[in-house]
Amino acid sequence: MKISRSERLLELLQSLRRYRLPVSGRKLAQEMGISIRTLYRDIASLQARGAMIEGEPGVGYVLRPGFMLPPLMFSNVEIEALVLGSRWVSKRADKQLAAAASHALAKIAAILPDGLRNELDTNALFVGPRDTTTLEDIDLGLVRTAIRTEHKVAITYSDQNGVESSRTIWPFAIGFFESSRVLVSWCELRSNFRHFRTDRIIAVTWLDLRFPRSKQALIKEWRKTQGASAA
C-alpha cells in the first residue's frame, strides 16, 4: 500500500531515532523501501522544517535528540485512533474529561497540515450514546485529583440492596465500562481493596490526609488480587 509523503517523512524520523550513531543513507533507503535520491530529498525536506539531522551523503546521518515535528506527529491511522478515543471520552467520561478531550483534539487540529486536518474533520468513526441511568451525581474531577495527589476521601456508599455505609478510602484507579464506572480503592472499613460503582456513591468529601502507601504500590498489589469481593 502506497503511503503519503507526510507518513513517509514521519517514518524516516522514527527510523533515525533508532540510531545513536550516524547511519548511511543507503541503509535508510533500504529500510524505507525508497531510492537513495528520494531519501536525500526527504532528508533535505526534514532539515528545512527544523529537524536537527546532521551528516551528508557518503558519511551518514544522525538525528539529534529533542526534536519533534508537530505537523507530522500522526499518521492517518493514529488520527483515527485519536478521534475515536476523544469521541469515546466525550460520551463515556464526566463533563470535565469530555471537555478536556475536545480541547486536546482542537489543539492537535491546529498543528496539522491541511491534508491531515481534513482527515480529522471528516473522520467517520463514531461512538453511540451511553446509558444515562448510570450517571453519577458526585464530582468525578475531585476524585481524579485525589487519585493524582494520593489523597484519601470519605464517601457515603449505597450497595446493590440500597444499604448505605460511610467509608474512608484511598482511591487509586477508575475503570470506565460501557454502562458504568468503577472506582478502585483501598477501603479502611474493610481493610482490603474494594470496587465502588460511581453511580452508587451518594457523597464524596476530600480529606487532607495522604495515602500511607504510594499509588504505584497499591496498583501493583491490587493487580495481584483481581478476585477481591465486591464492596
Side-chain angles (χ1 to χ4, degrees):
M1 183 179 65
K2 186 176 180 181
I3 64 174
S4 68
R5 185 165 185 267
S6 294
E7 289 178 302
R8 191 178 73 238
L9 292 178
L10 176 60
E11 186 178 337
L12 176 55
L13 274 177
Q14 298 296 79
S15 294
L16 283 165
R17 285 194 178 99
R18 290 196 293 268
Y19 295 96
R20 293 187 176 183
L21 299 176
V23 56
S24 71
R26 192 164 299 280
K27 184 174 183 179
L28 285 170
Q30 289 175 346
E31 287 184 2
M32 299 284 298
I34 57 178
S35 69
I36 190 69
R37 180 176 296 181
T38 298
L39 177 86
Y40 290 154
R41 285 201 301 265
D42 287 351
I43 291 285
S45 178
L46 288 172
Q47 289 173 328
R49 292 170 181 260
M52 294 181 288
I53 301 173
E54 298 179 0
E56 58 186 46
V59 176
Y61 298 94
V62 63
L63 176 67
R64 294 305 176 193
F67 176 75
M68 179 59 70
L69 196 62
L72 301 176
M73 212 182 298
F74 307 108
S75 67
N76 289 333
V77 176
E78 288 170 336
I79 288 176
E80 287 184 334
L82 286 168
V83 173
L84 181 60
S86 176
R87 288 174 177 171
W88 193 95
V89 171
S90 69
K91 295 285 188 180
R92 297 291 186 270
D94 57 278
K95 291 181 180 179
Q96 189 179 42
L97 269 185
S102 297
H103 294 159
L105 202 60
K107 289 179 180 179
I108 292 170
I111 62 172
L112 291 176
D114 292 341
L116 291 180
R117 187 180 300 117
N118 183 63
E119 289 290 333
L120 187 148
D121 292 338
T122 60
N123 185 279
L125 303 180
F126 299 99
V127 177
R130 69 164 296 183
D131 181 3
T132 57
T133 61
T134 59
L135 292 177
E136 63 277 310
D137 293 325
I138 62 170
D139 180 5
L140 213 56
L142 183 148
V143 176
R144 290 199 313 276
T145 299
I147 292 173
R148 285 195 302 270
T149 60
E150 300 183 355
H151 272 81
K152 299 181 183 182
V153 296
I155 65 169
T156 301
Y157 189 72
S158 176
D159 67 16
Q160 60 184 352
N161 298 315
V163 178
E164 294 185 10
S165 60
S166 297
R167 319 275 188 111
T168 294
I169 62 173
W170 316 346
F172 59 86
I174 301 177
F176 291 80
F177 298 91
E178 188 64 25
S179 60
S180 64
R181 294 189 274 251
V182 175
L183 179 61
V184 186
S185 310
W186 176 268
C187 176
E188 293 188 355
L189 179 66
R190 303 302 186 200
S191 296
N192 209 338
F193 295 108
R194 287 294 185 264
H195 302 154
F196 300 99
R197 280 186 46 157
T198 58
D199 59 315
R200 292 178 181 166
I201 298 177
I202 299 171
V204 58
T205 303
W206 177 276
L207 298 178
D208 196 19
L209 298 168
R210 301 292 299 273
F211 299 172
R213 283 181 278 168
S214 71
K215 177 175 62 176
Q216 183 178 5
L218 288 168
I219 291 175
K220 185 177 181 179
E221 185 179 344
W222 167 71
R223 283 175 172 165
K224 295 178 181 178
T225 58
Q226 287 294 286
S229 59

